[in-house]
């Protein structure tokens, strides 16, 4: 474990916690930023999941913050398996950053919303960076 791995893990954990807090805020009725948080479909219909789904996503994101720290300071009973979870998360994030070739990711085709602009400028690059970081932590952290 290197100092760089620790710094990356802490940075990833902080980012994941901040994103998680936004999702908790939305799950409990917050409105700020919600309009730009999901894609607008071609028919003009906004993608808006129910609060329970947003809450589950917030919990998963908080769990990923813990996972990033576990990749450098693993709990002994799961030490053998934690890197595989990190590889899986890395793969999922990198695939998400590439996108579905329609509404999200670098290769989306629908650009008619605030979300699409934010996804191109911030969300997809951040998700790609997080995917690479989880991969690096999986290789060098444990």
């Amino acid at each position: 474990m290197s100092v760089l791995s620790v710094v990356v893990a802490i940075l990833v954990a902080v980012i994941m916690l901040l994103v998680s807090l936004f999702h908790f805020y939305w799950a409990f009725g917050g409105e700020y930023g919600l309009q730009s948080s999901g894609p607008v479909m071609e028919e003009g219909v906004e993608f808006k999941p129910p609060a329970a789904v947003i809450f589950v996503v917030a919990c998963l994101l908080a769990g990923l913050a813990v996972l990033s720290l576990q990749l450098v300071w693993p709990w002994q009973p799961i030490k053998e398996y934690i890197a595989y979870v990190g590889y899986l998360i890395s793969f999922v994030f990198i695939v998400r950053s590439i996108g579905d070739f329609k509404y999200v990711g670098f290769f989306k085709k629908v650009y008619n919303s605030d979300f699409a602009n934010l996804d191109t400028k911030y969300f997809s690059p951040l998700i790609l960076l997080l995917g690479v970081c989880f991969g690096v932590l999986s290789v060098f952290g444990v």
Side-chain angles (χ1 to χ4, degrees):
M1 172 180 43
S2 69
V3 173
L4 184 59
S5 294
V6 172
V7 169
V8 169
I10 292 171
L11 180 63
V12 169
V14 168
I15 291 169
M16 297 310 298
L17 284 175
L18 288 173
V19 174
S20 175
L21 287 174
F22 260 105
H23 283 77
F24 278 121
Y25 168 73
W26 294 326
F28 290 106
E31 294 290 324
Y32 179 76
L34 187 61
Q35 293 292 349
S36 301
S37 66
V40 174
M41 309 303 173
E42 287 179 1
E43 304 82 31
V45 177
E46 289 185 29
F47 175 75
K48 187 170 182 190
V53 172
I54 297 172
F55 181 80
V56 169
V57 169
C59 292
L60 290 172
L61 292 168
L64 292 178
V66 173
L67 174 65
S68 70
L69 298 175
Q70 284 291 306
L71 287 168
V72 291
W73 294 300
W75 184 46
Q76 289 305 316
I78 61 171
K79 185 174 184 174
E80 295 177 32
Y81 307 104
I82 198 74
Y84 296 115
V85 177
Y87 293 133
L88 176 66
I89 298 304
S90 175
F91 175 76
V92 168
F93 275 26
I94 291 170
V95 168
R96 163 42 185 98
S97 70
I98 293 169
D100 66 352
F101 299 98
K102 192 162 189 178
Y103 298 115
V104 297
F106 288 119
F107 299 103
K108 69 181 148 299
K109 291 186 175 48
V110 177
Y111 284 93
N112 64 344
S113 67
D114 290 337
F115 169 81
N117 293 326
L118 291 171
D119 186 52
T120 300
K121 290 179 186 176
Y122 304 109
F123 303 156
S124 289
L126 177 63
I127 291 168
L128 177 61
L129 176 67
L130 289 169
V132 169
C133 287
F134 272 106
V136 168
L137 289 173
S138 298
V139 172
F140 297 110
V142 179

